[in-house]
């Protein structure tokens, strides 16, 4: 059994189409950190920045794994920033470092992370995505940040 807290990747668009997803991501960040879980993001703007802001508000730890090679590209709220210079290939690092993925809204990058997670057995919970159309048992759908965190708690409880 691990002595480390769960690592949850919060994935989502850097420019969400639905502005309500910013608040959902901020709330999710607060709730995840409130449980003592570490939050991974892609380190940039949009959903990633909102989740990191929520984590930071409650004194948690948000880790940004950047596609670029420059720490200055990270949004505020990330306590740890890891520049990779790998572009979108860093999505695989994010997924493999995570114990679960919380996808909030999303775009192509989010879709790639969800697909990698489902393919490699990393549990996925989604909020506000179009993913349920092909979701299998690897992907659970939540209606809110609170419901998503409860689903994740059940996953981690085993």
């Amino acid at each position: 059994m691990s002595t480390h807290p769960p690592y949850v990747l919060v994935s989502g668009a850097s420019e969400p189409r639905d502005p309500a997803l910013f608040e959902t991501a901020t709330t999710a960040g607060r709730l995840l950190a409130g449980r003592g879980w570490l939050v991974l993001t892609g380190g940039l703007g949009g959903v990633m920045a909102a989740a990191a802001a929520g984590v930071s508000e409650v004194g948690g730890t948000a880790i940004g794994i950047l596609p670029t090679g420059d720490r200055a590209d990270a949004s505020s709220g990330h306590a740890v920033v890891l520049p990779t210079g790998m572009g979108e290939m860093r999505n695989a690092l994010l997924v493999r470092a995570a114990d679960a993925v919380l996808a909030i809204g999303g775009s192509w990058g989010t879709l790639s992370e969800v697909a990698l997670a489902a393919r490699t057995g990393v549990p996925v919970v989604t909020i506000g995505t179009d993913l349920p159309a092909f979701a299998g048992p690897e992907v659970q759908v939540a209606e809110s940040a609170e419901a998503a965190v409860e689903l994740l708690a059940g996953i981690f409880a085993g």
Side-chain angles (χ1 to χ4, degrees), residues 72-87:
D73 293 338
S75 60
S76 63
H78 291 93
V80 178
V81 177
L82 304 171
T84 68
M86 296 177 65

Side-chain angles (χ1 to χ4, degrees), residues 9 14 39-45 48-49 52 62-94 113:
L9 166 58
S14 56
V39 174
L40 298 167
T41 81
L44 300 176
M48 298 170 278
I63 302 163
I65 300 179
L66 295 170
T68 66
D70 188 351
R71 276 187 189 86
D73 293 338
S75 60
S76 63
H78 291 93
V80 178
V81 177
L82 304 171
T84 68
M86 296 177 65
E88 296 301 322
M89 289 175 43
R90 71 71 159 86
N91 292 0
L93 292 174
L94 282 161
E113 290 163 346

Side-chain angles (χ1 to χ4, degrees), residues 76-148:
S76 63
H78 291 93
V80 178
V81 177
L82 304 171
T84 68
M86 296 177 65
E88 296 301 322
M89 289 175 43
R90 71 71 159 86
N91 292 0
L93 292 174
L94 282 161
V95 170
R96 297 306 292 169
D99 297 305
V101 174
L102 173 55
I104 301 173
S107 187
W108 291 111
T110 307
L111 180 60
S112 75
E113 290 163 346
V114 168
L116 284 167
R119 180 78 173 163
T120 60
V122 176
V124 178
V125 176
T126 68
I127 306 170
T129 69
D130 295 329
L131 298 174
F134 71 87
E138 308 86 0
V139 180
Q140 298 183 53
V141 179
E143 296 298 320
S144 67
E146 294 81 3

